[in-house]
Amino acid sequence: QERTLFNTLSVAPSLLVPWLSDEVKGDEKMWRFAYQIVQTRGMHTPSGDYCIPPMADYMNHGSVDHNVELAFDGYGNCLATTTADVPAGCELKLNYGEHGPSLFLSRYGFLDDGSPSTFCKLIPRKVTEEMEDLGYSHDRMLFYSTGDVSEEVFDVLLYILLGEDGAVGAGLQSQLHGAHVSGDHDAKRSMHERYYHRTMTRLIE
């Protein structure tokens, strides 16, 4: 579903907002950034609208220790009400709802305290058979609350990065895949070491 949304996003500016300049409509990085801002800051209203309420979007999540509830009046105003006495200087927290760990990480950028790991939200335009061989699967590409990252995340991310380098990259993709399926750990480790900085930069992005 998220891959479909991202792919749609790349063509939506031209179809839905024709008054924007061609430069803006062609800036995929900007559209992805705007999409993430809306996803992480926005919320649904009882009327079915989706909005970003000023100030309320700064409130963090508290699954147990939340102390604020939001409501919307008939004019669309967002009303925040504390559910307990909140001393001066204490943080105001909302309960973002009962979501899976992957949604918390992809939408809000953190893991709930009760989640030991979550699926890496790496969304290629097309998932190939070789990527699946490398471990592209929701139960294998994991970020852990300890800060560790599963081997499958690095394998698939490197494969995607190599594919951005044209014909030379395609050959390196085949080498990476071949080393993986044949169990040639030394060859695969060598490739990861060679592209470590590039891989980590993309992972952080």
Side-chain angles (χ1 to χ4, degrees):
Q1 182 183 17
E2 292 184 28
R3 185 183 303 108
T4 299
L5 288 173
F6 270 127
N7 290 342
T8 301
L9 188 67
S10 64
V11 298
S14 298
L15 300 177
L16 303 179
V17 280
W19 58 86
L20 294 176
S21 69
D22 291 339
E23 181 181 3
V24 171
K25 287 188 288 188
D27 191 340
E28 184 174 350
K29 283 189 175 181
M30 187 275 289
W31 283 105
R32 285 175 178 258
F33 172 77
Y35 175 81
Q36 291 298 337
I37 289 295
V38 172
Q39 284 287 80
T40 58
R41 298 289 186 180
M43 59 188 68
H44 291 282
T45 69
S47 64
D49 290 332
Y50 195 79
C51 65
I52 303 179
M55 302 306 296
D57 66 313
Y58 282 98
M59 297 181 188
N60 286 324
H61 168 71
S63 57
V64 177
D65 58 343
H66 57 281
N67 51 23
V68 174
E69 290 183 352
L70 298 183
F72 292 85
D73 64 18
Y75 298 98
N77 297 309
C78 180
L79 310 175
T81 305
T82 56
T83 57
D85 291 335
V86 182
C90 290
E91 184 178 8
L92 297 177
K93 291 185 177 182
L94 298 169
N95 187 334
Y96 291 179
E98 299 298 325
H99 302 299
S102 291
L103 186 144
F104 266 116
L105 185 61
S106 65
R107 178 167 294 181
Y108 303 115
F110 68 88
L111 286 176
D112 190 61
D113 291 341
S115 303
S117 64
T118 187
F119 175 56
C120 169
K121 290 298 180 179
L122 181 63
I123 308 176
R125 293 192 178 280
K126 181 181 180 181
V127 178
T128 67
E129 185 175 338
E130 288 190 346
M131 291 169 63
E132 290 178 342
D133 289 341
L134 290 168
Y136 191 88
S137 171
H138 72 277
D139 59 348
R140 296 175 63 189
M141 292 188 58
L142 300 173
F143 286 139
Y144 297 96
S145 56
T146 59
D148 293 329
V149 179
S150 70
E151 178 182 353
E152 288 82 358
V153 172
F154 287 105
D155 287 347
V156 173
L157 183 55
L158 177 56
Y159 183 88
I160 292 173
L161 290 174
L162 293 174
E164 297 174 357
D165 294 338
V168 173
L172 293 172
Q173 281 182 315
S174 296
Q175 289 182 31
L176 176 64
H177 177 259
H180 177 79
V181 297
S182 67
D184 189 345
H185 302 295
D186 290 338
K188 193 166 77 165
R189 182 171 60 252
S190 176
M191 295 188 71
H192 276 294
E193 290 174 352
R194 193 187 324 165
Y195 293 95
Y196 177 77
H197 178 73
R198 186 176 170 188
T199 305
M200 288 302 300
T201 300
R202 182 63 64 86
L203 184 64
I204 293 171
E205 290 177 353

